[in-house]
């Protein structure tokens, strides 16, 4: 506590494997150092959740805080962190979301790194990050540069071992440019004007989407452009003769440089991730190690205006609830006294829902949301202009965001690109299917899906063998038929693509082996009434949940022979739907009581 009177300029605190202090005393030590505290490195700290909670609530006076591999689940740093300019939360694999005000106590934060976390929600993330007025560097992944030989200009290991005690430079970005923190905390940006084309590849994906899509159907190249809008399009080349609105991403293999994504958080795979971040954080200088150029901002502005709306119902400016109510009352007083024979009049261009929508827009306008539109799919691409579909069930593709499959009341299965409304694959009924009630994509084999109908039929399809037209094509290839499950209502595949479950208008569920095509077992009397939906968890191949009209939701484990549930929760009415959150920490359930 007397360190303030000494000539010591700065103190760095690092937690090592031989640290004998408890979390309480370590925190007291750091608070005692106070203004002389410079770097706090708690990488892989074993102090426990109470220490992390106290640190978040009480704050620190350090300049650099390294909390890599911490066990945050929901970040809420409400203490005072006024001097901090660099925060590292890499490899905090439990971190999924933020409290909206969790960064409001960090007015000078410039560099924030969250690689390999479980953060995946664009809206809540931007709502939290928008409270950082000085943020200039943000990382949810590391883009590494390598040449055609596969040699990286900087390994991810080297990048991960950045010495955060070197305060003169916040990070070294090699060929990307540098961000330097000078004593006045101003950002000096070396702007790159190099608009050369780049090729992006995802290092940790288990399959090549481009290869898959090129093999779906030979004529797909000119028909659907699935990869025009992937999140990496912000780095593509812009031709001077093209308008910026018409620029599309180009993935080329013959360039001298490649960029490889390492340690990416799930948010990086959200649609228009980079453009949305750039447009929402106008002071940002670097995103994921790459500089934000003028052309990037222009493209991000166009993408943002095209695919997102800042306020609901196309409102340009946020209004207060009070002013809207005031307008409504003034309008009501002007029209009062008119006879009931007159139609209720509304201001020019206003509908009868104007005030309701205005109130909603005023209440909801904290972050931008995707624009909504009706999806219209017809038989035009199948050569049948009069053909229309009666959808009953749909399922988004788990990894190719523009693909969706839906089943119809007539037993058809249709795979569409819901962005341009083109049909990618069509599977007719052929009399073998009634209403399609169960659909599930496989995860490791992204061209395959399982479909079940209410007459008990269960089949696995490979859409590479199912063209968008029905003319002269053979549908036996790539199809596997399973034993029937009577009165089926749902199917779901586990995380390893090894097993799937089927449920229906009964108290039983059936377990199937995908590789052998056999039904392994039927589990009887799992609920008192019929089981509407069964869902495997996202990460554990043996955990699954069931929702039933007996008002119960139950969690089961195949390793324990599902006789007794691991967990049970009840609703006031029968349950319709259940699914796991992306991190498997929560269950989302809907019931017929509209809750």
């Amino acid at each position: 506590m007397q360190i303030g009177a000494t000539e010591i300029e700065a103190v760095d605190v690092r937690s090592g494997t031989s640290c004998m202090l408890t979390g309480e005393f370590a925190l007291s030590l750091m608070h005692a150092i106070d203004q002389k505290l410079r770097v706090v490195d708690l990488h892989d700290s074993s102090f426990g959740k109470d220490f992390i909670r106290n640190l978040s609530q009480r704050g620190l006076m350090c300049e650099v805080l390294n909390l890599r591999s911490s066990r945050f689940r929901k970040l809420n740093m409400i203490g005072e962190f006024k001097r901090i300019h660099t925060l590292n939360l890499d490899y905090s694999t439990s971190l999924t979301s933020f409290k909206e005000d969790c960064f409001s106590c960090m007015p000078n934060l410039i560099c924030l790194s969250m690689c390999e976390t479980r953060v995946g929600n664009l809206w809540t993330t931007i709502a939290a990050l928008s409270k950082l007025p000085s943020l200039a560097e943000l990382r949810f992944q590391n883009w590494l540069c390598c040449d055609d030989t596969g040699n990286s200009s900087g390994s991810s290991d080297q990048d991960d071992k950045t010495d955060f005690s070197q305060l003169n430079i916040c990070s070294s970005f090699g060929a990307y440019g540098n961000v330097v923190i000078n004593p006045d905390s101003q950002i000096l940006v070396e702007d790159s004007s190099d608009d050369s084309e780049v090729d992006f590849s995802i290092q940790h994906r288990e399959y090549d989407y481009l290869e898959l899509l090129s093999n779906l159907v030979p004529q797909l190249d000119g028909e659907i452009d699935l990869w025009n809008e992937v999140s990496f399009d912000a780095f593509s080349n812009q031709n001077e003769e093209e308008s910026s609105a018409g620029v599309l991403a180009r993935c080329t293999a013959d360039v001298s440089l490649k960029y490889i994504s390492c340690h990416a958080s799930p948010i990086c795979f959200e649609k228009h991730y980079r453009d949305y971040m750039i447009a929402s954080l106008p002071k940002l200088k670097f995103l994921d190690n790459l500089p934000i150029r003028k052309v990037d901002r222009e493209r991000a502005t166009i993408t943002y205006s095209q695919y997102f709306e800042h306020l609901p119902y196309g409102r340009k400016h946020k209004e207060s609830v009070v002013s809207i109510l005031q307008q409504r009352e003034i309008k009501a007083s002007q029209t009062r006294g008119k006879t009931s024979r007159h139609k209720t009049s509304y201001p020019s261009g206003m509908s009868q829902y104007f005030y309701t929508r205005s109130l909603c827009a005023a209440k909801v306008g904290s972050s931008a949301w995707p624009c909504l539109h009706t999806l219209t799919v017809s038989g035009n691409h199948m050569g049948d202009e009069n053909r229309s579909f009666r959808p009953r069930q749909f399922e988004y593709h788990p990894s190719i965001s523009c693909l969706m499959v839906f089943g119809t009341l007539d037993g058809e299965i249709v795979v569409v690109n819901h962005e341009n409304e083109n049909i990618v694959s069509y599977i007719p009924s052929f009399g073998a299917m009634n209403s399609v009630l169960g659909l599930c994509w496989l995860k490791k084999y992204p061209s395959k899906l399982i479909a079940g109908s209410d007459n008990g039929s269960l089949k696995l399809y490979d859409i590479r063998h199912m063209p968008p037209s029905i003319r002269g094509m053979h549908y036996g290839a790539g199809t596997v038929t399973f034993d029937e499950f009577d009165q089926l209502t749902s199917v779901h595949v586990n995380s390893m693509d090894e097993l799937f479950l089927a449920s229906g208008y009964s108290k039983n569920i059936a377990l199937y082996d995908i590789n052998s095509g056999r039904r392994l077992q039927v589990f009887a009397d799992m609920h008192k009434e019929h089981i509407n939906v069964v869902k495997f968890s996202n990460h554990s191949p043996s955990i699954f949940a069931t929702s039933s009209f007996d008002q119960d939701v139950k969690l089961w484990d195949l390793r324990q022979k599902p006789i007794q549930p691991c967990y049970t929760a009840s609703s006031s009415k029968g349950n319709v739907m259940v699914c796991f959150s992306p991190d498997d920490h929560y269950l989302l359930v809907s019931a017929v009581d509209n809750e």
Side-chain angles (χ1 to χ4, degrees):
M1 296 181 69
Q2 298 177 6
I3 200 170
T6 68
E7 295 183 358
I8 296 174
E9 295 181 358
V11 178
D12 297 347
V13 176
R14 290 183 173 85
S15 174
T17 56
S18 59
C19 179
M20 301 299 293
L21 287 178
T22 64
E24 179 183 357
F25 287 121
L27 198 58
S28 298
L29 171 67
M30 288 184 280
H31 281 123
I33 298 170
D34 199 32
Q35 298 286 339
K36 296 289 183 80
L37 190 61
R38 185 175 64 169
V39 175
V40 174
D41 187 347
L42 303 177
H43 177 209
D44 288 328
S45 171
S46 58
F47 288 139
K49 62 181 181 180
D50 290 336
F51 171 81
I52 294 293
R53 185 187 300 113
N54 291 335
L55 174 66
S56 301
Q57 294 176 352
R58 296 175 60 185
L60 274 181
M61 297 302 291
C62 63
E63 297 177 4
V64 176
L65 181 57
N66 182 1
L67 291 175
R68 280 174 42 175
S69 305
S70 296
R71 297 178 183 177
F72 287 106
R73 181 177 286 187
K74 194 167 189 176
L75 196 64
N76 189 25
M77 303 184 76
I78 59 176
E80 285 195 15
F81 295 89
K82 292 183 178 179
R83 298 178 66 232
I84 188 171
H85 60 64
T86 299
L87 176 61
N88 189 332
L89 296 168
D90 291 348
Y91 310 114
S92 299
T93 52
S94 298
L95 180 60
T96 59
S97 58
F98 311 96
K99 293 282 189 179
E100 187 173 350
D101 296 323
C102 75
F103 292 123
S104 58
C105 55
M106 301 181 183
N108 297 309
L109 188 68
I110 296 173
C111 308
L112 177 61
S113 186
M114 291 179 283
C115 300
E116 206 165 306
T117 64
R118 289 190 180 181
V119 175
N121 190 307
L122 279 174
W123 329 117
T124 56
T125 301
I126 283 296
L129 294 178
S130 61
K131 304 295 174 65
L132 292 170
S134 304
L135 186 65
E137 284 187 64
L138 178 64
R139 288 193 310 184
F140 284 101
Q141 62 185 334
N142 288 323
W143 281 111
L144 299 181
C145 180
C146 64
D147 55 27
D148 283 337
T149 64
N151 295 321
S152 174
S153 64
S155 71
S156 59
D157 291 335
Q158 289 173 338
D159 183 74
D160 293 339
K161 294 175 182 176
T162 301
D163 187 356
F164 278 79
S165 67
Q166 302 302 316
L167 296 183
N168 292 329
I169 344 180
C170 183
S171 296
S172 176
F173 292 111
Y176 309 130
N178 293 313
V179 172
V180 179
I181 304 175
N182 67 17
D184 299 321
S185 295
Q186 299 295 318
I187 300 298
L188 308 177
V189 179
E190 180 182 329
D191 191 14
S192 170
S193 58
D194 181 15
D195 290 340
S196 59
E197 292 183 344
V198 290
D199 175 34
F200 295 94
S201 56
I202 301 301
Q203 189 179 47
H204 63 271
R205 291 285 177 170
E206 297 184 24
Y207 39 78
D208 188 341
Y209 289 142
L210 293 175
E211 181 181 350
L212 159 68
L213 296 173
S214 65
N215 291 334
L216 281 178
V217 188
Q219 61 266 40
L220 278 183
D221 290 341
E223 191 165 314
I224 61 173
D225 215 351
L226 297 175
W227 288 95
N228 282 348
E229 305 293 345
V230 293
S231 59
F232 315 120
D233 59 359
F235 310 121
S236 61
N237 177 48
Q238 180 177 10
N239 195 328
E240 292 180 0
E241 289 149 13
E242 295 176 298
S243 68
S244 55
V247 176
L248 299 176
R250 303 163 189 82
C251 292
T252 59
D254 57 348
V255 292
S256 59
L257 293 178
K258 291 184 179 181
Y259 289 84
I260 300 174
S261 172
C262 295
H263 310 297
S265 296
I267 194 172
C268 302
F269 303 105
E270 288 293 304
K271 194 73 172 175
H272 309 300
Y273 152 76
R274 184 172 174 87
D275 285 340
Y276 184 82
M277 284 287 181
I278 293 173
S280 302
L281 301 171
K283 294 185 178 180
L284 204 61
K285 305 297 182 185
F286 283 83
L287 179 60
D288 300 333
N289 282 10
L290 295 176
I292 299 173
R293 304 161 300 173
K294 183 179 179 181
V295 64
D296 298 327
R297 292 207 178 276
E298 292 173 352
R299 189 178 299 115
T301 301
I302 293 168
T303 302
Y304 185 92
S305 62
Q306 184 177 359
Y307 294 101
F308 301 93
E309 52 182 6
H310 181 62
L311 291 171
Y313 306 112
R315 297 297 196 274
K316 300 300 181 185
H317 306 286
K318 187 173 181 180
E319 299 178 84
S320 71
V321 174
V322 174
S323 66
I324 296 168
L325 292 173
Q326 199 171 26
Q327 291 176 33
R328 187 179 68 176
E329 292 305 310
I330 292 172
K331 180 64 182 177
S333 64
Q334 290 175 350
T335 57
R336 196 172 295 147
K338 292 186 178 181
T339 65
S340 59
R341 291 174 299 174
H342 289 84
K343 279 187 174 181
T344 304
S345 61
Y346 295 91
S348 176
M350 294 183 184
S351 72
Q352 58 179 319
Y353 305 109
F354 173 78
Y355 290 114
T356 302
R357 291 176 173 174
S358 295
L359 287 169
C360 292
K363 290 162 67 177
V364 173
S366 60
S367 63
W369 290 85
C371 294
L372 306 179
H373 69 279
T374 302
L375 181 62
T376 304
V377 180
S378 66
N380 290 342
H381 296 91
M382 299 163 52
D384 186 356
E385 297 181 0
N386 299 320
R387 185 59 175 266
S388 61
F389 300 106
R390 299 192 296 158
R392 171 60 178 80
Q393 194 80 7
F394 72 92
E395 193 81 17
Y396 284 105
H397 197 286
S399 50
I400 305 175
S401 62
C402 56
L403 281 189
M404 180 177 74
V405 60
F406 66 84
T408 71
L409 294 170
D410 303 309
E412 303 156 299
I413 299 172
V414 186
V415 180
V416 296
N417 177 351
H418 62 79
E419 294 179 353
N420 58 22
E421 300 184 351
N422 284 346
I423 295 176
V424 176
S425 182
Y426 173 76
I427 304 169
S429 174
F430 287 141
M433 302 273 281
N434 289 357
S435 297
V436 178
L437 301 184
L439 290 167
C440 188
W441 292 96
L442 273 64
K443 301 166 187 66
K444 293 187 175 183
Y445 305 94
S447 66
K448 296 182 179 182
L449 60 94
I450 289 177
S453 69
D454 58 1
N455 69 348
S457 176
L458 274 168
K459 293 180 181 292
L460 181 144
Y461 295 99
D462 190 334
I463 64 174
R464 290 178 299 182
H465 303 293
M466 310 295 170
S469 172
I470 63 174
R471 297 175 181 173
M473 299 302 293
H474 177 63
Y475 285 87
T479 301
V480 178
T481 302
F482 299 91
D483 292 342
E484 293 185 355
F485 187 89
D486 290 338
Q487 297 181 299
L488 181 143
T489 57
S490 78
V491 297
H492 202 249
V493 180
N494 74 349
S495 60
M496 301 299 291
D497 288 347
E498 298 168 340
L499 306 170
F500 77 89
L501 290 165
S503 68
Y505 287 101
S506 71
K507 304 173 186 177
N508 312 330
I509 64 171
L511 179 68
Y512 293 81
D513 185 294
I514 295 178
N515 294 323
S516 66
R518 295 188 304 109
R519 182 165 62 196
L520 299 178
Q521 196 169 355
V522 175
F523 303 113
D525 299 323
M526 303 189 78
H527 282 268
K528 295 177 183 177
E529 294 187 32
H530 77 259
I531 300 167
N532 197 50
V533 167
V534 58
K535 287 288 178 71
F536 271 110
S537 67
N538 296 303
H539 301 285
S540 173
S542 60
I543 301 290
F544 66 94
T546 54
S547 65
S548 168
F549 279 92
D550 65 2
Q551 304 181 15
D552 286 343
V553 172
K554 297 181 179 181
L555 198 68
W556 308 85
D557 191 338
L558 290 174
R559 295 167 296 187
Q560 297 179 356
K561 295 184 180 181
I563 300 172
Q564 293 293 328
C566 314
Y567 169 82
T568 302
S570 299
S571 306
S572 61
K573 296 288 179 68
N575 297 306
V576 179
M577 182 65 68
V578 63
C579 67
F580 287 84
S581 63
D583 58 8
D584 288 341
H585 289 165
Y586 303 95
L587 285 173
L588 177 66
V589 184
S590 63
V592 296
D593 59 5
N594 204 28
E595 295 184 359

